Amino acid sequence: MMISGRCAACKNQRRRCPSDCIFSPYFPANDPQRFASVHKIYGGSNVGKMLQQIPPYLREQTANCLYFEAQCRIQDPVYGCVGIISKLYEQIRNTEIELAQIQTQITCRKLQLLHPNNAETNFNLLPTVQAQSSFQIPAESTNPPQFPWFN
């Protein structure tokens, strides 16, 4: 079902937009960059074939994923989405390390409170770790992403 005129895919490919156009629900005329990105990475014919081969209820999600992955590949031609996944994995790993350090500090403080007169304790030897937020998006790195499944 067409809303008005040709969809972004048909405009891009300079063709008439049929009433049953596979692209029109997912690549509207008011967002030509959406189809242009997907076309640049996958090719219009391949996108059409992919959309036809999946059930209609999954097509919108597929078009959204193709667009997101195309945008990632355009922004980062080498790593694409995998670069984002790697950065997020690194943030999770750093946050888990930070959490473990803070939990150790809490345990040491509790033990110090339970045994305040014990001068022989080694709890004071543990270094104090300053808590810093690791929920910031890291700056672009020239280092390739590290993948735990390759180590």
Side-chain angles (χ1 to χ4, degrees):
M1 171 184 285
M2 274 189 342
I3 296 172
S4 76
R6 297 181 295 169
C7 68
C10 291
K11 280 185 180 181
N12 181 281
Q13 296 176 351
R14 295 185 176 105
R15 66 178 188 175
R16 186 181 67 79
C17 192
S19 60
D20 63 343
C21 179
I22 190 78
F23 298 110
S24 64
Y26 318 109
F27 300 101
N30 64 353
D31 191 3
Q33 186 58 42
R34 183 176 168 90
F35 181 76
S37 297
V38 172
H39 181 268
K40 180 177 182 176
I41 300 300
Y42 300 106
S45 177
N46 291 330
V47 173
K49 289 175 189 174
M50 284 188 257
L51 290 174
Q52 288 173 340
Q53 290 177 358
I54 59 171
Y57 70 93
L58 291 175
R59 289 179 183 166
E60 181 178 4
Q61 184 177 359
T62 301
N64 291 339
C65 288
L66 289 172
Y67 175 63
F68 177 77
E69 290 177 18
Q71 285 297 104
C72 290
R73 185 61 63 181
I74 290 168
Q75 291 172 4
D76 184 354
V78 175
Y79 296 109
C81 292
V82 177
I84 293 171
I85 293 168
S86 177
K87 288 175 186 175
L88 292 172
Y89 177 79
E90 185 177 347
Q91 284 182 338
I92 290 169
R93 193 183 89 238
N94 290 340
T95 303
E96 287 173 339
I97 291 169
E98 182 180 334
L99 176 62
Q101 291 170 336
I102 292 170
Q103 287 173 332
T104 301
Q105 286 179 349
I106 291 170
T107 301
C108 289
R109 296 291 182 220
K110 284 181 180 179
L111 289 172
Q112 286 175 343
L113 291 173
L114 288 174
H115 307 288
N117 296 329
N118 190 352
E120 302 285 324
T121 183
N122 289 328
F123 299 131
N124 293 326
L125 298 177
L126 290 174
T128 304
V129 179
Q130 292 182 349
Q132 297 177 357
S133 174
S134 61
F135 292 105
Q136 299 172 355
I137 296 175
E140 285 297 318
S141 173
T142 57
N143 299 331
Q146 299 297 313
F147 304 104
W149 50 88
F150 291 138
N151 294 336

